[in-house]
Structure formats: structure tokens, C-alpha cells
Amino acid sequence: MSSSIASTRFSFLDRSRTREGHDGPQALRDTVTLARTAEALGYHRFWVSEHHGVPGVAGSAPTVLAAAVAAATSTIRVGTGGVMLPNHQPYVVAEQFGVLASLFPGRIDMGLGRSVGFTDGVRRALGRGKEDADAFAGQLAELLGWLDGTQQAHPGVHAHPAEGMRIPPYVLATGAGAAIAAAAGLPLVVGDLRGREKLTRAVAAYRSAFRPSAWSRTPYVIVAGTVAVAATTEEARRLLVPEAWSMAYSRTHGSFPPLAPAERIEALAMTDRERRLFEGGLGGHLVGTEDAVETGLDELIKETGADEVLVTTSTYDRDALVDSMRRLARIAGIG
């Protein structure tokens, strides 16, 4: 194992994807089961995501799901990747994380993003517009103020039990997110691995602009992306087939279908555009045997200086996914 891999933390993010024959409620239960697996394998943290009105994704309430994950585990850190702050009132988010941190002290992470609903209908249902993403920096400052007691927007109002708690905040970067994280002096979560040059530029800009804060004295970078490890390169590649097809289908039909078995997808007659999008979805990830992925991880960590790698792999075959997680844990020397 290289020294760069040995000094890097490894964590897992699950998006609670539905699968053929396994509905949304089952997807959420699968997430909780996967968290137990990640803990047993020695992963540092396990995060869940927020998506609204997305067919094929069951994770719509990340703080609720994080509570279930934390209750089912005992040592792994649990958090959100992330709560999309423009969709919520910062005061309520502070209260929710205060409750989580009270119930599971020392284990809760507060990952925050700036995305809003992905369609006009969803945004209307949330009472938000595209422009609300531009208010993220101010919302973030307000949220942190509810935690440390410095907020002045609402004199005499306090977020109980959150006020005074040290709940670690993280900023998920898309577009301006890296600059906001640097200005606020917060850890950065950035991806994905397919745009390596863009990724390294964002990390370099974040480190250069980082201003120490009470939350973090030094920059901290978590690189997120898909990693698939198997006994052969072909087996590893087939782990990516269900998600690649789901993404291609969404781009051509407007909705995410449940993840389907790889062998059925490979037998589909795709249009030229579907095939192009599908093949594109298979590229740029860290995929292959343990030796190949170890080499790729070593290069990634050296290029970005990542302090942590957050794995986001989704697939139909849960046994193959767990095997991939186990092989990655072996590469990382965790557990």
C-alpha cells in the first residue's frame, strides 16, 4: 500500500437508489443495512443524500434517514451528503442537527449543499426558485450562527438543543461551492472523478483562498466519486452498468428508472444517443481489479492532495457492491 493511500480516510455515500423488484421503502432499508456493512469494514463515515421528486431515488429526508443509520450503527460517523440548504430554513436545519448530535454525540456530520429542486414543479412544491441557490453563502453563515450563538437576524431566538454544539460542517461543491467553503473556512467535498482537471483546479483554488475559522484551522478536502473493484476488470465494469443506463435513460426520457440487472441492460437495443450517453457514463471512474484501483487511487490522492475519499457507487447487485467495498477496504488497509 502506498503512503498516500495509507494516510487517507475512506468513507461511503449512499443515495438510496431503487432497484427493479425493490421499491423506495426497501431502498431506504437497504441504505441502513449498507451502513452496518460500511461500519464493519472500517469506513470512516457513512453519508446519505437529499433528492426531491426524483423517480428512482428514495432518499428525500436526509436527517431522518441519518437518524435511522446512526441508530443502527455504533461507531461510524453519520451525516448528510448533503442537506440542500436553499430548500430549508437554516433555523430548522440547526434544530434537526442539534437533535441528531444530542442522540448520537460525537458521530454526526453536517454536509451542506446549494442545489435546489431539479424541475420547476419540484421547486414550486418546495416553495423555492433557481435563484435561491445564490443565497447559499448567507444561509450557511446564518446556520453556523445558530450553532455558535452568534446569529443576529432573529434577536432573542435560540436553536435548542443545537446552540453551543460542535457539529462539524462540510460544504459540497458545485460551481461556486468551493469558493464559499474557502471563505467560510470549512472542509470541502468535491467531485466527480470524471473531470479530473476541473477537480484539481477547484481543490487548488479552495486551498489558495482558504481562510482559517473556528470550525477548521486548515483546509480539508474530501474527493467524492465512483469506485468499483472486482476480481476482473469486466466484473468491475459491470457494477457501473445499471447506474450508467439509468443516467442515459434520464437524459433521453426525463426520469430515472430503477436500477436493473447489468445483463439485461447489456442486451438492450439502444438508440445512438442512448448508447453514446451510456458509454459516457461508464468512463472516468476508478474501476478494475485491486491492483488497478490501488494505482488509480494513489494517482488521484497525489494529484488532489485529498484528505479523504468518499465513495458514491450505486449498482443493482448488492452482493457485488459489498464485495467491491470489501476489496476497497483491503486496498485502503482499514478495518
Side-chain angles (χ1 to χ4, degrees), residues 218-328:
T218 58
Y220 188 88
V221 174
I222 301 176
V223 172
T226 297
V227 181
V229 198
T232 67
T233 301
E234 181 58 27
E235 287 178 86
R237 178 189 174 278
R238 295 182 85 241
L239 274 167
L240 306 185
V241 166
E243 183 72 11
W245 169 244
S246 183
M247 292 296 292
Y249 188 93
S250 74
R251 295 280 300 277
T252 52
H253 295 78
S255 65
F256 288 88
L259 299 178
E263 57 271 17
R264 192 165 65 73
I265 294 168
E266 291 171 332
L268 290 174
M270 300 182 192
T271 67
D272 289 344
R273 184 162 185 256
E274 287 172 340
R275 175 66 63 182
R276 184 170 64 254
L277 291 167
F278 171 67
E279 295 292 344
L282 293 172
H285 309 290
L286 287 178
V287 183
T289 63
E290 290 180 44
D291 286 345
V293 170
E294 181 173 0
T295 298
L297 279 171
D298 186 51
E299 292 173 353
L300 171 69
I301 294 166
K302 287 176 178 175
E303 285 179 16
T304 62
D307 300 285
E308 186 171 339
V309 175
L310 180 66
V311 180
T312 61
T313 310
S314 298
T315 194
Y316 175 85
D317 187 336
R318 302 299 275 196
D319 289 338
L321 176 59
V322 170
D323 180 64
S324 177
M325 293 172 68
R326 185 176 294 113
R327 290 173 183 274
L328 178 58

Side-chain angles (χ1 to χ4, degrees), residues 3 39-40 44 48 71 86 134 203 211 214 220 243 246 250 256 275:
S3 59
E39 179 176 73
H44 180 62
V48 297
D134 297 332
V203 169
R211 297 192 303 199
Y220 188 88
E243 183 72 11
S246 183
S250 74
F256 288 88
R275 175 66 63 182

Side-chain angles (χ1 to χ4, degrees), residues 22 37 67 69 73 91 109 146 151 157 167 169 174 194 199 246 276 280 282 293 318 331:
H22 305 264
T37 299
V69 168
T73 55
Y91 180 52
D109 299 324
W146 288 116
Q151 73 81 26
V157 182
I167 306 170
T174 56
R194 287 173 291 186
L199 173 63
S246 183
R276 184 170 64 254
L282 293 172
V293 170
R318 302 299 275 196
I331 293 168

